[in-house]
Amino acid sequence: MRVIVTGGAGFIGSALCRYLVGDCGWQVLNIDKLTYASDQRSLAAIDGAPGYRFMQADIADGDKISHILEDYQPDAILHLAAESHVDRSIDGPGDFIQTNIVGTYCLLDAALKYWRNLPSDRQKIFRFHHVSTDEVYGSLGAEGLFSETTAYQPTSPYSASKASSDHLVRAWHHTYGLPVVVSNCSNNYGPFQFPEKFIPLMILNAMAGRKLPVYGDGQNIRDWLHVTDHVAALRLILQHGTIGETYNVGGRNEARNIDIARQIIAHVRDLSPHRTLPPDDEMIEFVTDRPGHDRRYAIDATKLENRLGWQAQYSLETGLRDTVAWYLNHPGWWQPILDRKYRGQRLGVA
C-alpha cells in the first residue's frame, strides 16, 4: 500500500512510519513541518529504506500539499500532524488553531480535489484516516467509559482544536463524500516520546534524582496505551474500518498519575540499582494543578476489538517497565533534547 503520513516525525507518527515500512512493507511518504517536537532521529531505523521518503511541508500550505498528492499518488492519507500538548495550548493556543483546525481544513481541501480526480477504481480504495484524541469527550466521573457515541465536551484549547478538526473531517465525508475514518485514542506512551509529556518527564527526573512534579493531588486518571499497540490499530482501522465511522483506541490501563509516578521510581530503582535515589516521598512533589485539568479519561475499545479483532498487547506494568528501560539505555536520543529544546520547565500555568 502507498500512503502519506502527516506528522510522521512526531512521537506517534514516527512509530507508525517505522511500523508500516519496517513491519508491513508499505510505501510511505512522511510529511512533517519539523516543529520543536519532531525528531528525524526517531526514524533512523527506516532511513534509506526503499519504501520510505520524507518531505518537509506544512499541512496548512494547501498548494504544496496538492502538488505532493499529485506527485506521490497515495492510496490513503493518515493524518497525525497536530500540536498536542495541553500545557502548551494554555500558553499559546494560536499554534493549535492554525495547525489542528486550519491545517486540517487545508489538507481536507487538497485531499478532496485529489480524490475527485482519481479513476473510479482508485477512488473506491482511497481513505482519509484522521487520528484524534479521547480528550475531545471531556472529563469522566468515577464511573463509565468514553464510547464512539459520547457527546463532545472539550475543555482545553488543545482538545477544542482537535474536536474542531474531527467535525471538519466528518463534514467533508457527509457533505462531499470523501471516504474517511476517524480514530480517537487514549494517552500514548513508549520510546521516542518528547520529554515534556508526563511519562518521559517522570522517567528522566527519576533517573536524575530530581523531584517528580505531580499536578494537583495526583488523583487524575488516564487510560494508557502503548504506542506500538496504537499504530497496529491504526493500520487495521485504515484497511478494514467502515467508511464514515469512528473507532476508539484504548489500552484498558487506567491509572492515577500519582501511581504512575511511583511505578516509574520503582522501575528506575530496579533497572538501575547503581543509582542512589532519595526515598519515594521525597522524590514526589505536588505542584499547582493545570487550569481546567480533566479528572478522568477512559476508553471503551469494544467496537475496535469486536469488529476488527484488535487487542492491546501491552499491560501497563510491562509497557511502563520497557519504556523506562528504553530511556535508561538511550541517553543519546533524549540528552540533546534537554540540552537544546526543553529543560523540563513547567508549562501551562497561565
Side-chain angles (χ1 to χ4, degrees):
M1 198 166 185
R2 188 175 178 86
V3 303
I4 285 177
V5 174
T6 71
F11 168 50
I12 302 173
S14 62
L16 180 62
C17 289
R18 294 193 304 269
Y19 173 66
L20 295 181
V21 175
D23 296 334
C24 303
W26 289 14
Q27 293 178 294
V28 174
L29 172 60
N30 174 2
I31 297 175
D32 198 288
K33 186 179 178 180
L34 295 182
T35 62
Y36 77 95
S38 303
D39 197 325
Q40 293 197 75
R41 296 176 303 153
S42 304
L43 296 152
I46 57 172
D47 188 29
Y52 176 71
R53 290 172 56 188
F54 173 80
M55 183 171 292
Q56 184 174 0
D58 184 349
I59 58 169
D61 186 343
D63 289 340
K64 186 168 186 177
I65 295 300
S66 290
H67 288 309
I68 291 171
L69 290 171
E70 287 301 320
D71 178 66
Y72 192 69
Q73 291 288 306
D75 301 316
I77 297 170
L78 292 114
H79 176 35
L80 289 83
E83 295 289 341
S84 66
H85 190 38
V86 174
D87 287 349
R88 287 186 186 266
S89 81
I90 295 169
D91 292 338
D95 289 340
F96 290 73
I97 304 304
Q98 178 63 24
T99 297
N100 299 355
I101 302 177
V102 177
T104 297
Y105 157 70
C106 293
L107 184 63
L108 284 167
D109 187 52
L112 180 62
K113 295 172 184 175
Y114 168 75
W115 174 71
R116 282 176 166 171
N117 288 323
L118 288 174
S120 59
D121 59 330
R122 293 195 60 210
Q123 281 188 348
K124 291 177 182 177
I125 66 170
F126 181 82
R127 297 290 183 273
F128 185 105
H129 183 171
H130 177 63
V131 180
S132 191
T133 172
D134 62 354
E135 298 191 34
V136 299
Y137 298 126
S139 184
L140 287 167
E143 303 293 333
L145 303 170
F146 295 135
S147 75
E148 288 81 1
T149 59
T150 299
Y152 276 30
Q153 195 174 3
T155 58
S156 71
Y158 162 62
S159 59
S161 70
K162 287 299 290 182
S164 299
S165 68
D166 293 6
H167 291 321
L168 286 174
V169 171
R170 293 190 182 99
W172 257 244
H173 169 63
H174 289 287
T175 304
Y176 304 113
L178 186 69
V180 310
V181 286
V182 177
S183 58
N184 295 82
C185 69
S186 58
N187 287 57
N188 279 227
Y189 70 102
F192 297 108
Q193 189 170 27
F194 194 82
E196 68 185 359
K197 295 298 180 76
F198 180 69
I199 284 180
L201 179 62
M202 297 299 106
I203 293 172
L204 296 182
N205 277 21
M207 288 167 54
R210 295 191 296 266
K211 290 184 180 295
L212 279 62
V214 176
Y215 289 178
D217 60 6
Q219 301 300 306
N220 300 75
I221 293 172
R222 298 295 181 260
D223 176 10
W224 292 98
L225 173 67
H226 195 283
V227 69
T228 301
D229 285 329
H230 187 196
V231 299
L234 295 181
R235 181 188 67 82
L236 278 175
I237 295 166
L238 176 69
Q239 289 191 291
H240 304 293
T242 300
I243 291 174
E245 294 202 5
T246 298
Y247 296 84
N248 280 352
V249 190
R252 298 191 184 276
N253 288 309
E254 289 186 59
R256 301 180 304 170
N257 287 349
I258 185 61
D259 295 329
I260 293 289
R262 288 170 176 155
Q263 288 179 50
I264 286 170
I265 294 170
H267 287 313
V268 171
R269 290 189 194 279
D270 186 47
L271 293 169
S272 186
H274 64 281
R275 296 175 190 270
T276 302
L277 301 181
D280 289 11
D281 290 344
E282 294 180 15
M283 293 194 66
I284 292 174
E285 179 182 22
F286 293 100
V287 299
T288 303
D289 207 354
R290 167 193 290 163
H293 197 182
D294 289 338
R295 195 63 168 173
R296 176 174 170 259
Y297 303 146
I299 282 280
D300 182 357
T302 300
K303 178 179 178 179
L304 177 62
E305 293 163 347
N306 290 349
R307 296 191 186 180
L308 302 187
W310 175 86
Q311 292 287 334
Q313 300 301 305
Y314 280 88
S315 68
L316 182 57
E317 173 68 20
T318 300
L320 197 56
R321 183 179 178 86
D322 287 354
T323 301
V324 170
W326 188 89
Y327 280 92
L328 282 166
N329 293 326
H330 292 84
W333 184 83
W334 52 260
Q335 189 61 58
I337 295 174
L338 297 185
D339 291 341
R340 297 195 297 267
K341 292 184 176 182
Y342 175 70
R343 299 182 182 276
Q345 69 271 22
R346 176 71 192 273
L347 302 169
V349 293

